[in-house]
Amino acid sequence: MQSVLPPGIARRLWQVIAVGGVIATVLYGLFPSSAVGTIAFTLLAVIVVMACFAGPRRWGAEPPGAWLLMGAAALLFMIGVMIRPTVTEMPMPWPLLADVASFSGYLLLGAFILVLLKKRGSLDRHAVLDGLIVCLAAGVATTLLLALPAAQIPGRDPVLSGIQGMYPMFDVLLLLLLVNLTFTAKTWPVSLIGLIVMMSMIFAGDLAYAIVGVQGHIYASPLLNVPYMIAYTGLGVAATHPSVVEMSRAAKLPAQAWSWPRLSLLLPALAVPFALLLTTGTRSAASRVLIAVTGAMIVALLLVRAIGAVRAQVAAQLRSEHQAVHDPLTGLPNRQSMSAEIERLLTVVDPEGHDRVWVYMLDLDGFKWVNDSWGHDTGDQLVIDVGRRLRTGVPHGIPVARVGGDEFLLLFIGEKGGALRLVDDIRGCFAKPFPVRDHDVVISASIGISHAVADPVNAEVTAEALMRDADTAMYRAKAEGPGRSIIFDTSMHTQVRERIELEVALRQALAEEQLHVAYQPLVRLETGIPVGAEALVRWMHPERGPIPPMTFISIAEDAGLINAIGTWVRKEALRQLGVWRSEGTVHDDFYLSINVSPRQLSDPELPLIVSGEMVRYGVPPHCVALEMTESVMVDGSSVTSRVLFELRELGVRLLVDDFGTGFSALGYLRKFPVTGVKIDRSFVTGLGVNHEDDEIVRAVVAMSHALGLSVIAEGVETPLQREALYAVGVVNGQGWLWGAAVPAAEFAQRWRDVVMGGPAVPEVAADPSGRHRRPD
């Protein structure tokens, strides 16, 4: 339940309590025995109790039950302090009522601190031993110096006197538990400082009562309650400050076993028995026995603690060594460990005479889709499952390691036949689907393989070369399609160097504006008049000449440049369309089709960005079409789906590019707000020649028309293909029959009169079916 106070006042409530607590303490100190002092104490205590119940809940502090314990403890402390002056002069057992309330408060306060320690994960074995050592020292000191002298006062019940002397020991225990909270706090928030002030003042107040008790008094003056007033103030600040939510969060690892903060508590405790022997040497033999037994127990606990610290140090060292050579997610060896293993194998001669070492580099196909669709936690679980399958699916003794996000590495010694059989074993690990978020996901792995003969002299260099070459072969396998495996050969070095050089050149081209946009017309088959154009990026290298898009687009995707290139192409295309519209080069319905990558469609801000760009360049939404591949719909996350729907709400057309080469599922076309499809050129090429291609195109057109989608045919190169497409109801086409993609100035010069006027090629014959008359 949220506080009814406005947020601004709620955030300042701790300051009000702090100021009010100081004022109440001053009033109580000035008028301790009057009604003013009593009212001040009672009002402060009641407000703090209410703050313990309401403040942490207001800020969402965890766990909520802990602060209920603290509120109940504060209430019991208030009762104990208020009734003590009254019951002190009454016969036994009435004076014990105040102690029952106070001791109950101590139990609840201890439970409160223990709950916080458990939530923070900071109550360790060393802390418990530290607490026992300090409490033994505090116990024997309070017993000999306070409890026993108080119990020996004539004319007073010894039980009551002993209880009074034991209060400081309980305070030390609780204060020690509270100090444990500081071991896991990088900084001390206000709430933690408030709790420390509270415990310090309770300790001071109880110590004052114990000293008075040694002098023969149980209750001497109301001024003894002043420390409790300050304690209530600190508690109220802790409960209402916004940092109360940090009390259950550990900010750093616990202090080391023998850190100076720990030693500052242990060293005085170790000195207590010796100090007591010096100061109580004339006392009874029982006192000396108590000191000796306590000292022996402290030494025993210290020895246990020392042994535990040594064992913990050894365990930490072993754990550190294990973590240095193992992957923390899967527990498999890491790259460093596997590199050392390859070096070792290169120096070992196989007993059967097989001296060739094989290295397998695996990269999961489709892993990014899992990460983007279900999140990195799910991706991590998939990596764990893959590692488990590889460990159990390959022959025993084959080293398996995780060397990257979704990359694994295996080793084998033997002949080529055995090496190829291991490839089959690896593929078998991916034969069954992996369960991911209540779905069965089928993934594969691209495998790069390298090998070398044993070389004890150059083992280190050879090991690095093997891993590098396997990595190179893996990327080559991945480029050829999912699930492929390729054995490295030296020609791949040249290809890798070429790719690296192109990536560097592409980054430079993007920075120096070497890229340009070319425009290929989208033509109505019936008239030959362009109804739009596709904006295509082109790269003219200053030394190498034109670089094909099929070469540099894949490099841009791997290098993370596709977003920057896509954004630049979109802006330039929209700018150019705005210029054409303002100059009258194109009519009002002429549209530009622009490609967008899956990465761009995963940006939730894309609809807002596109909307702003259309406004900036004066382009209406119906003049913009965004092309995407089928994989966007299949692999699309919830973010991608929302982006597509928001783009469609803007009025932008959404086209599925290369339709027919991917999944081509009817359900995807119905699920997403696409407005049209582009039939892939591979089907258009076979029209009129391959009957199967004719039937595929006819089926795509019929399905698209049934869903109200427009159809564009790509790769139209001959009049025969144009006639065949028109015959089955295709409305628009694109291809070399009407020319290649050209720069903006050439496009405007060539097509202006055609776009605004008559046909560019003879019209096709009318089809009685009328399917070609369906509007775009």
Side-chain angles (χ1 to χ4, degrees):
M1 182 178 66
Q2 296 294 320
S3 172
V4 296
L5 294 174
I9 297 179
R11 298 189 68 87
R12 299 289 184 181
L13 185 59
W14 69 275
Q15 296 176 339
V16 175
I17 291 180
V19 174
V22 172
I23 294 175
T25 303
V26 171
L27 290 176
Y28 188 85
L30 294 175
F31 309 101
S33 301
S34 66
V36 174
T38 302
I39 294 175
F41 183 92
T42 305
L43 185 60
L44 176 61
V46 170
I47 290 175
V48 170
V49 170
M50 294 173 60
C52 289
F53 288 111
R57 178 177 295 186
R58 168 64 179 81
W59 300 114
E62 295 289 342
W67 287 94
L68 296 180
L69 293 174
M70 185 69 254
L75 180 61
L76 290 171
F77 285 140
M78 180 187 72
I79 294 173
V81 171
M82 293 185 66
I83 68 174
R84 187 173 298 278
T86 303
V87 300
T88 297
E89 304 300 329
M90 299 175 66
M92 288 290 290
W94 294 107
L96 296 179
L97 288 178
D99 297 314
V100 169
S102 298
F103 280 157
S104 300
Y106 278 119
L107 292 176
L108 293 178
L109 177 56
F112 162 75
I113 301 176
L114 286 172
V115 170
L116 287 185
L117 287 171
K118 182 179 179 181
K119 183 69 175 179
R120 294 169 69 98
S122 56
L123 185 61
D124 59 10
R125 184 169 178 267
H126 291 152
V128 173
L129 291 175
D130 291 347
L132 290 175
I133 292 173
V134 174
C135 287
L136 282 173
V140 69
T142 55
T143 299
L144 294 177
L145 299 179
L146 298 175
L148 289 180
Q152 295 172 359
I153 294 177
R156 190 174 68 181
D157 191 289
V159 175
L160 185 61
S161 297
I163 288 176
Q164 298 301 313
M166 297 301 291
Y167 272 105
M169 186 182 70
F170 292 114
D171 294 332
V172 170
L173 175 61
L174 293 176
L175 186 59
L176 180 65
L177 290 176
L178 188 62
V179 169
N180 268 270
L181 290 177
T182 66
F183 291 158
T184 52
K186 187 175 297 184
T187 59
W188 284 14
V190 173
S191 291
L192 179 57
I193 295 174
L195 290 180
I196 293 176
V197 169
M198 175 197 71
M199 278 308 309
S200 301
M201 289 299 100
I202 290 178
F203 176 76
D206 290 348
L207 183 62
Y209 267 101
I211 293 174
V212 170
V214 173
Q215 298 174 355
H217 306 285
I218 294 179
Y219 180 80
S221 168
L223 292 177
L224 293 176
N225 294 329
V226 170
Y228 301 132
M229 298 280 288
I230 302 175
Y232 270 114
T233 303
L235 176 58
V237 170
T240 55
H241 193 272
S243 65
V244 69
V245 298
E246 301 178 31
M247 296 303 300
S248 60
R249 303 172 185 168
K252 67 175 183 178
L253 294 176
Q256 295 297 318
W258 297 109
S259 64
W260 282 111
R262 296 291 180 92
L263 291 177
S264 64
L265 296 174
L266 295 178
L267 293 178
L270 293 174
V272 165
F274 302 98
L276 290 175
L277 282 176
L278 295 176
T279 58
T280 61
T282 59
R283 294 193 177 183
S284 65
S287 298
R288 293 193 293 271
V289 170
L290 178 61
I291 295 174
V293 171
T294 303
M297 293 177 65
I298 290 176
V299 172
L301 289 174
L302 188 63
L303 289 175
V304 171
R305 191 188 193 288
I307 294 172
V310 172
R311 288 180 176 178
Q313 183 66 25
V314 172
Q317 181 67 25
L318 293 175
R319 184 166 57 252
S320 176
E321 294 175 357
H322 182 273
Q323 291 174 348
V325 294
H326 286 79
D327 171 54
L329 183 62
T330 63
L332 296 173
N334 59 15
R335 180 180 289 271
Q336 177 184 347
S337 175
M338 197 59 79
S339 178
E341 180 66 11
I342 296 174
E343 290 183 38
R344 187 188 69 81
L345 293 178
L346 288 169
T347 62
V348 174
V349 178
D350 188 79
E352 299 181 9
H354 305 307
D355 58 354
R356 187 165 292 274
V357 177
W358 299 78
V359 176
Y360 303 75
M361 183 70 72
L362 279 64
D363 185 87
L364 304 183
D365 304 316
F367 180 73
K368 181 181 181 300
W369 167 63
V370 174
N371 261 350
D372 292 345
S373 300
W374 287 295
H376 290 280
D377 290 342
T378 303
D380 288 347
Q381 186 58 51
L382 179 61
V383 167
I384 294 172
D385 293 342
V386 170
R388 187 181 298 117
R389 282 201 191 178
L390 288 173
R391 183 65 278 163
T392 59
V394 300
H396 180 71
I398 299 294
V400 180
R402 182 190 179 216
V403 295
D406 61 333
E407 293 182 348
F408 294 84
L409 191 145
L410 290 83
L411 302 180
F412 174 75
I413 296 181
E415 79 287 352
K416 185 174 182 179
L420 296 180
R421 285 193 296 272
L422 180 57
V423 173
D424 294 333
D425 294 335
I426 294 172
R427 286 175 175 163
C429 296
F430 298 89
K432 295 181 180 180
F434 289 85
V436 175
R437 292 288 182 92
D438 299 327
H439 295 277
D440 288 336
V441 175
V442 178
I443 63 171
S444 58
S446 298
I447 308 173
I449 308 169
S450 63
H451 56 91
V453 296
D455 186 2
V457 177
N458 300 307
E460 182 178 355
V461 176
T462 305
E464 289 297 323
L466 280 173
M467 289 194 293
R468 182 189 65 242
D469 294 345
D471 199 54
T472 300
M474 180 270 292
Y475 277 106
R476 175 68 178 272
K478 204 169 187 66
E480 295 190 1
R484 299 294 185 92
S485 62
I486 288 182
I487 299 178
F488 175 83
D489 63 65
T490 54
S491 65
M492 294 182 186
H493 279 310
T494 303
Q495 298 170 356
V496 171
R497 185 169 60 252
E498 174 77 8
R499 186 194 178 284
I500 294 174
E501 291 176 355
L502 280 177
E503 180 181 332
V504 173
L506 181 58
R507 292 182 183 275
Q508 185 177 359
L510 187 60
E512 298 179 358
E513 299 182 355
Q514 295 177 11
L515 303 177
H516 69 275
V517 179
Y519 301 87
Q520 186 174 33
L522 303 171
V523 177
R524 187 171 295 278
L525 298 181
E526 183 179 5
T527 63
I529 298 177
V531 295
E534 181 177 359
L536 300 168
V537 63
R538 294 292 184 262
W539 179 16
M540 179 62 70
H541 193 279
E543 298 176 359
R544 304 186 184 209
I547 307 295
M550 62 182 300
T551 299
F552 72 81
I553 290 298
S554 60
I555 295 177
E557 290 177 343
D558 293 339
L561 298 174
I562 195 65
N563 277 354
I565 293 176
T567 299
W568 179 83
V569 170
R570 187 182 65 247
K571 287 183 177 180
E572 176 60 23
L574 292 177
R575 185 200 64 79
Q576 185 60 63
L577 181 56
V579 171
W580 283 342
R581 287 173 58 85
S582 64
E583 294 177 349
T585 303
V586 298
H587 52 70
D588 290 341
D589 292 332
F590 185 92
Y591 71 94
L592 275 186
S593 188
I594 306 169
N595 290 279
V596 288
S597 69
R599 291 188 181 181
Q600 288 177 284
L601 290 173
S602 65
D603 181 3
E605 302 297 326
L606 181 63
L608 183 62
I609 295 173
V610 171
S611 176
E613 291 170 350
M614 290 189 297
V615 172
R616 177 182 179 184
Y617 298 116
V619 177
H622 74 273
C623 293
V624 178
L626 300 180
E627 293 188 21
M628 57 185 174
T629 60
E630 292 176 76
S631 61
V632 170
M633 296 185 294
V634 178
D635 302 344
S637 63
S638 58
V639 174
T640 301
S641 177
R642 184 170 65 253
V643 167
L644 291 174
F645 276 96
E646 290 179 0
L647 286 170
R648 187 67 192 110
E649 288 177 356
L650 290 176
V652 173
R653 310 184 196 196
L654 298 177
L655 306 179
V656 180
D657 195 16
D658 300 331
F659 189 78
T661 60
F663 301 90
S664 306
L666 177 62
Y668 294 124
L669 295 178
R670 297 180 61 186
K671 179 180 178 181
F672 291 92
V674 298
T675 61
V677 298
K678 299 183 73 173
I679 301 175
D680 186 70
R681 65 182 65 247
S682 61
F683 300 110
V684 175
T685 302
L687 285 177
V689 179
N690 188 320
H691 177 70
E692 292 182 354
D693 287 346
D694 291 344
E695 293 302 319
I696 290 175
V697 172
R698 182 175 287 105
V700 169
V701 172
M703 178 182 65
S704 300
H705 286 180
L707 294 174
L709 304 177
S710 63
V711 180
I712 302 173
E714 296 182 292
V716 183
E717 298 181 358
T718 66
L720 177 61
Q721 293 170 354
R722 182 190 62 174
E723 295 287 347
L725 289 167
Y726 186 79
V728 296
V730 176
V731 176
N732 297 324
Q734 175 184 358
W736 280 72
L737 180 62
W738 300 281
V742 295
E746 184 177 344
F747 183 93
Q749 180 181 2
R750 179 178 179 184
W751 291 103
R752 176 171 181 171
D753 294 339
V754 177
V755 171
M756 303 301 293
V761 294
E763 296 184 10
V764 296
D767 186 346
S769 68
R771 285 174 292 185
H772 60 284
R773 300 187 181 279
R774 181 185 178 279
D776 183 18

